[in-house]
Amino acid sequence: MSLGGRQSLVLPNGITSSSRPSLGALRKPSLGQASSAVSQQKPRQSIGARVSNVQRNSSTGSAGNRKLSTAGSSRPTGPKQDPRINDRSSNIKRLVEFLVNANYPHQISSKQLTSPSAKDFYFIVEFLFRMVDPTFHMSVKPEEDVLAIFKILKYPFPISKRSLASVGTPHTWPALLAALTWFVELLEYDNEVKIKSVGEDDMLVGMEEAERLFFNYLVRAYGSFMSGADSFTALESELSSVLETKNQALRAEIEDVSMTHEVVLKEIAHYQNSGKIKDLELKKEVLLNDVVKFRQLNENLETYKGQLQIKIEELQKDLNYQNSEF
């Protein structure tokens, strides 16, 4: 498929893969991007990179909002509201469990999420967004931040600015809660991808170190490419620097081995020229001959010992016989 004039490596529809895209450093498309990014004809951008631009976009006011609206206008046809709205109690339970497990720094409970205050809502939103982009902070216009980010994440259902003005009311909170639940599902999906990607590191075990470095470079370069980059000078410089450092260490090691080799060769030449090696070889030959002689002597002595034992037994029999006659 075409993404901003580039050929994507995403599998065709109907084919599954265990290596699903992540929200992380590889900057591959996220769960909510695939269905709408195809028709936008713009370079792909990772969720982390897009979230970091939210405050800049939201600070431009209505012009920035119109730009974001254009970017997110191409959405697949489907229901006009999130079906999660109808499962309010389950959404609250899931959101509370996720926040607790993620060490949410503020007090949270199911009762609190029944009708939260605007402050509670924006605390939760900022916490979730910071799990994608740790540098993110809400601006002085949090409503615009929320609208901008959910559009960037390609949330497939509309969120009105009016609903953000009255967060905890019965007619606005179910939809906002559903949106937060969708975001939690996105983060949980990303976590699963990261867990599965750990197993993919096993393929690097059999690689040489240089191959692993180049493989990691390719992964990072592809992530940058899918985010719209056309130049990879920084990555290439980093790879070149790492390889040069390792090459310097290898050259130093080779130099040490070469010096040791030269010393050994000089010692060999010295002993060969001095005639000591020939003397030692002659002495070794003499000693080996002595070993053969001693072995032969030992065998002869064992044979003689056996003969003496036989004679002793015969003499002992004669002695016993003579004693019996007397």
Side-chain angles (χ1 to χ4, degrees):
M1 67 180 74
S2 175
L3 293 172
R6 289 182 172 166
Q7 187 67 29
S8 171
L9 300 185
V10 178
L11 294 174
N13 291 335
I15 301 179
T16 60
S17 170
S18 60
S19 297
R20 297 290 302 278
S22 169
L23 303 178
L26 295 185
R27 299 178 181 268
K28 293 184 180 179
S30 69
L31 190 67
Q33 295 177 11
S35 61
S36 58
V38 177
S39 59
Q40 292 175 17
Q41 299 298 321
K42 296 175 70 176
R44 273 192 189 180
Q45 190 176 15
S46 72
I47 288 181
R50 294 179 180 187
V51 169
S52 65
N53 294 328
V54 166
Q55 291 177 334
R56 182 174 65 253
N57 291 338
S58 62
S59 64
T60 60
S62 59
N65 289 337
R66 287 196 297 272
K67 185 182 294 185
L68 289 171
S69 298
T70 303
S73 61
S74 180
R75 290 176 177 157
T77 58
K80 294 182 179 181
Q81 68 176 14
D82 195 330
R84 298 174 185 82
I85 292 177
N86 300 321
D87 201 0
R88 183 174 175 180
S89 60
S90 177
N91 292 341
I92 292 176
K93 180 180 178 182
R94 186 168 189 174
L95 181 56
V96 170
E97 289 179 353
F98 181 86
L99 293 174
V100 171
N101 292 333
N103 297 320
Y104 180 63
H106 304 286
Q107 184 178 358
I108 192 69
S109 66
S110 298
K111 182 179 180 180
Q112 185 179 353
L113 291 182
T114 302
S115 179
S117 65
K119 182 179 179 181
D120 292 333
F121 173 74
Y122 288 117
F123 274 159
I124 293 173
V125 170
E126 184 174 32
F127 178 77
L128 295 178
F129 289 164
R130 285 174 64 84
M131 295 182 73
V132 176
D133 180 8
T135 65
F136 173 78
H137 292 283
M138 285 285 188
S139 69
V140 295
K141 298 180 179 180
E143 299 90 350
E144 293 184 1
D145 289 343
V146 172
L147 293 175
I149 294 176
F150 270 99
K151 287 182 179 179
I152 287 172
L153 296 178
K154 297 297 176 288
Y155 180 56
F157 304 101
I159 298 177
S160 67
K161 190 173 183 179
R162 182 180 300 176
S163 67
L164 296 174
S166 53
V167 172
T169 59
H171 66 281
T172 59
W173 175 233
L176 295 176
L177 175 62
L180 292 178
T181 305
W182 174 86
F183 196 7
V184 166
E185 292 174 356
L186 186 67
L187 293 171
E188 289 175 339
Y189 157 82
D190 181 61
N191 186 54
E192 289 295 325
V193 170
K194 290 177 181 177
I195 293 174
K196 291 181 179 179
S197 66
V198 173
E200 295 174 1
D201 292 339
D202 294 340
M203 66 182 294
L204 302 178
V205 173
M207 291 186 180
E208 298 292 338
E209 186 174 9
E211 292 176 328
R212 290 198 299 270
L213 289 171
F214 186 67
F215 178 83
N216 290 331
Y217 159 76
L218 290 178
V219 170
R220 295 172 62 190
Y222 174 70
S224 297
F225 172 78
M226 294 303 291
S227 297
D230 293 316
S231 175
F232 313 104
T233 305
L235 291 176
E236 292 170 355
S237 298
E238 180 182 344
L239 177 63
S240 177
S241 176
V242 172
L243 291 177
E244 179 58 28
T245 300
K246 294 186 177 299
N247 286 340
Q248 289 178 358
L250 289 175
R251 282 193 288 266
E253 184 178 351
I254 291 172
E255 186 176 353
D256 291 341
V257 172
S258 297
M259 292 177 62
T260 304
H261 182 63
E262 290 179 1
V263 172
V264 172
L265 289 178
K266 288 180 180 179
E267 290 180 356
I268 292 174
H270 171 72
Y271 284 116
Q272 286 177 337
N273 295 332
S274 64
K276 289 185 177 181
I277 292 181
K278 291 183 179 180
D279 293 340
L280 292 173
E281 288 179 346
L282 289 174
K283 184 179 291 187
K284 176 184 176 182
E285 185 176 354
V286 172
L287 292 174
L288 289 175
N289 290 332
D290 288 344
V291 169
V292 173
K293 290 178 182 179
F294 278 117
R295 285 178 178 173
Q296 185 63 44
L297 177 62
N298 185 59
E299 290 178 359
N300 294 336
L301 290 174
E302 287 292 335
T303 302
Y304 182 66
K305 176 183 176 182
Q307 293 173 351
L308 289 177
Q309 287 178 342
I310 293 173
K311 288 184 179 181
I312 290 173
E313 291 176 357
E314 292 176 351
L315 291 173
Q316 185 66 40
K317 288 180 181 180
D318 292 339
L319 180 62
N320 291 336
Y321 178 75
Q322 291 177 5
N323 289 333
S324 62
E325 289 184 348
F326 294 108

